[in-house]
Amino acid sequence: MNADEVAAHWENNAETWTIYSRAGYDRYRDALNTPAFLNMLPSVTGLKGLDLGCGEGSNTRAVARLGARMTGLDIAPTFLRYARETEASDPLGIEYVLGDGQSIDFPEASFDFVTAFMSMMDMANQQGVLNEVVRILRPNGFLQFSILHPCFVPPTRKNIRDEKGEPIAVQIADYFDERDGRIERWVFSSIPAEERSALTPFSIPRFHRTLTSWVSMIVGAGLVIEAFGEPMASREVAFAEPVVADTRIAPIFLHIRARKA
Ligand SMILES: C[S@@+](CC[C@H](N)C(=O)[O-])C[C@H]1O[C@@H](n2cnc3c(N)ncnc32)[C@H](O)[C@@H]1O
């Protein structure tokens, strides 16, 4: 599957994704994943950053609020329309551009850092994307990205629960299946069941890679890995947000920071 086909899927997802994530139904993102990512991010005050696969821009805005001068890039026009509307009504100085991570339309060494929140496992040709990231990073600039954890969220995953419905274990399979563009269909699990059943599920092409492949691609692009993060909900967060309690069994997300030598 190529990037144009991926873009068509995301364009179809964008409206529902934006409405429901902005209504607070992306609980993993809001309660756990983004706070952990921002906690791991080095100081970006005054730095020039690119948010790759920015979607409707929620996380781009979060990084801009830390004092970075941000550009958001995404392949799906509807996401960018929403992101630009928000920038117009609540300006943070963010520029949003339509583009493909495989051929980023900026000169060499134009950014101090790049973020990619939960987008790299959805991109075709990740090696090409990482090579492009390195090209547009200035020397000593960094990339920090989050992905579905390759070890604990491979293509097949099932939560095992006790009689009270509490998660107690995880069953996984197909770890070594690196098929391109495998379609996953789901909607945010916190949406009430009756509303969820009326929605067309997202259709998400995924490009799962093993942990070995991720490390090979990152190193192959000329980056040096300097930090890993595997966010786990605290007892308090898991109590307040039961949907994220399964991250106490095994991580769902992997955060990686790597630097251009
Ligand atoms: C799971 S969404 C994450 C959106 C956003 N970063 C967030 O955290 O809410 C994945 C995003 O990657 C974008 N995407 C997929 N392939 C891309 C590519 N080749 N170049 C740029 N963006 C891409 C999709 O359009 C989508 O917005």
Side-chain angles (χ1 to χ4, degrees):
M1 180 183 282
N2 63 32
D4 288 344
E5 294 166 276
V6 173
H9 282 271
W10 278 105
E11 191 49 23
N12 284 334
N13 297 332
E15 195 80 28
T16 307
W17 185 285
T18 305
I19 290 167
Y20 281 92
S21 67
R22 288 187 173 187
Y25 289 113
D26 192 349
R27 298 313 302 148
Y28 282 105
R29 182 189 73 176
D30 297 343
L32 178 72
N33 204 14
T34 293
F37 189 104
L38 297 179
N39 199 36
M40 182 171 135
L41 197 67
S43 171
V44 291
T45 311
L47 298 186
K48 195 170 169 210
L50 176 71
D51 187 25
L52 193 56
C54 64
E56 52 78 37
S58 162
N59 288 319
T60 325
R61 291 188 288 279
V63 181
R65 285 191 195 98
L66 297 175
R69 292 172 287 136
M70 293 302 292
T71 300
L73 182 147
D74 203 278
I75 206 165
T78 296
F79 274 138
L80 293 176
R81 174 171 56 77
Y82 275 109
R84 286 175 182 140
E85 278 172 16
T86 304
E87 175 61 22
S89 62
D90 187 8
L92 289 165
I94 305 172
E95 185 192 356
Y96 289 101
V97 294
L98 183 66
D100 176 358
Q102 287 175 76
S103 51
I104 302 173
D105 202 9
F106 284 97
E108 272 178 37
S110 5
F111 292 95
D112 298 307
F113 72 97
V114 174
T115 52
F117 292 79
M118 300 304 288
S119 55
M120 300 263 295
M121 73 278 166
D122 295 335
M123 292 189 190
N125 182 17
Q126 288 137 340
Q127 183 69 72
V129 172
L130 286 163
N131 293 345
E132 271 296 85
V133 166
V134 169
R135 187 185 64 77
I136 57 145
L137 273 177
R138 65 158 172 79
N140 206 37
F142 71 86
L143 162 70
Q144 184 171 308
F145 68 101
S146 52
I147 50 175
L148 284 172
H149 200 302
C151 304
F152 301 107
V153 196
T156 303
R157 173 194 158 99
K158 190 176 157 201
N159 275 336
I160 311 294
R161 296 178 184 275
D162 66 12
E163 61 288 349
K164 288 184 278 170
E166 305 285 342
I168 50 167
V170 177
Q171 182 180 303
I172 57 160
D174 301 322
Y175 175 70
F176 292 104
D177 184 349
E178 295 193 328
R179 211 174 322 156
D180 278 354
R182 181 198 277 256
I183 301 295
E184 297 192 344
R185 293 184 202 280
W186 49 271
V187 284
F188 300 124
S189 53
S190 329
I191 300 173
E194 64 284 3
E195 207 173 332
R196 212 164 54 213
S197 59
L199 292 173
T200 305
F202 304 131
S203 160
I204 301 184
R206 192 167 156 202
F207 298 77
H208 166 71
R209 297 291 178 265
T210 63
L211 186 59
T212 301
S213 294
W214 277 110
V215 171
S216 302
M217 289 190 290
I218 293 164
V219 171
L223 292 161
V224 177
I225 295 172
E226 64 179 27
F228 259 34
E230 295 177 305
M232 178 189 80
S234 63
R235 271 183 211 290
E236 295 72 30
V237 168
F239 183 73
E241 304 275 357
V243 76
V244 306
D246 54 359
T247 62
R248 293 183 59 75
I249 308 294
I252 290 188
F253 309 107
L254 176 63
H255 296 179
I256 301 177
R257 189 169 70 246
R259 204 167 282 273
K260 180 169 172 175

